[in-house]
Amino acid sequence: MTKSFFATLAVVTLLSGCAATQENSKPDAAAGEPAALVNDYPTRDRVEYVLECVAKHGGLTYISQYACGCKIDKIAEKLSFEEYESAKTFTQMQKTPGEAGAAFRDPKQSKDLRTKLKDADAEAEKACFVK
């Protein structure tokens, strides 16, 4: 087995425990509803984010792994998974040329979500990476 396989396995194992964390397991008595999950991001998406982040920050080290895990946690505090997924799609697809890309570039929702993701990402970068 290669070193990168074990490193990837470590990241997946670390994040799989994070994805099931609940803010409060007791129902919200005032509203009569179950408490919301602190973290509604699927493990697969968290791992994908961390691996991309680690690659952008010079490769897998304990520091980059921890900071990138911190970063997606901070983003999850600011955006629901639905907002994150939409913002990510809008960001990736906005580069599509011509009319086909207009649906991803032009709507107010696209601009708002891309800005929200960019701001959350910038705040998380400052909070999680020691400079």
Side-chain angles (χ1 to χ4, degrees), residues 6 52 67 114 125:
F6 288 114
E52 288 174 8
R114 285 184 284 131
E125 183 82 17

Side-chain angles (χ1 to χ4, degrees), residues 63-111:
I63 302 291
S64 65
Q65 176 184 328
Y66 180 82
C68 290
C70 168
K71 196 171 170 189
I72 191 62
D73 289 342
K74 296 290 184 188
I75 291 170
E77 290 174 6
K78 301 284 184 189
L79 283 86
S80 69
F81 180 69
E82 184 178 318
E83 290 174 320
Y84 170 77
E85 189 173 43
S86 295
K88 187 175 165 187
T89 301
F90 284 135
T91 300
Q92 291 172 343
M93 298 301 291
Q94 74 176 350
K95 296 172 186 147
T96 305
E99 288 183 33
F104 300 101
R105 283 189 304 272
D106 300 340
K108 182 175 180 353
Q109 177 191 17
S110 170
K111 293 174 184 175

Side-chain angles (χ1 to χ4, degrees), residues 1-11 59-62 65:
M1 301 268 168
T2 66
K3 185 176 179 181
S4 64
F5 171 78
F6 288 114
T8 302
L9 184 61
V11 170
L60 185 64
T61 64
Y62 178 76
Q65 176 184 328

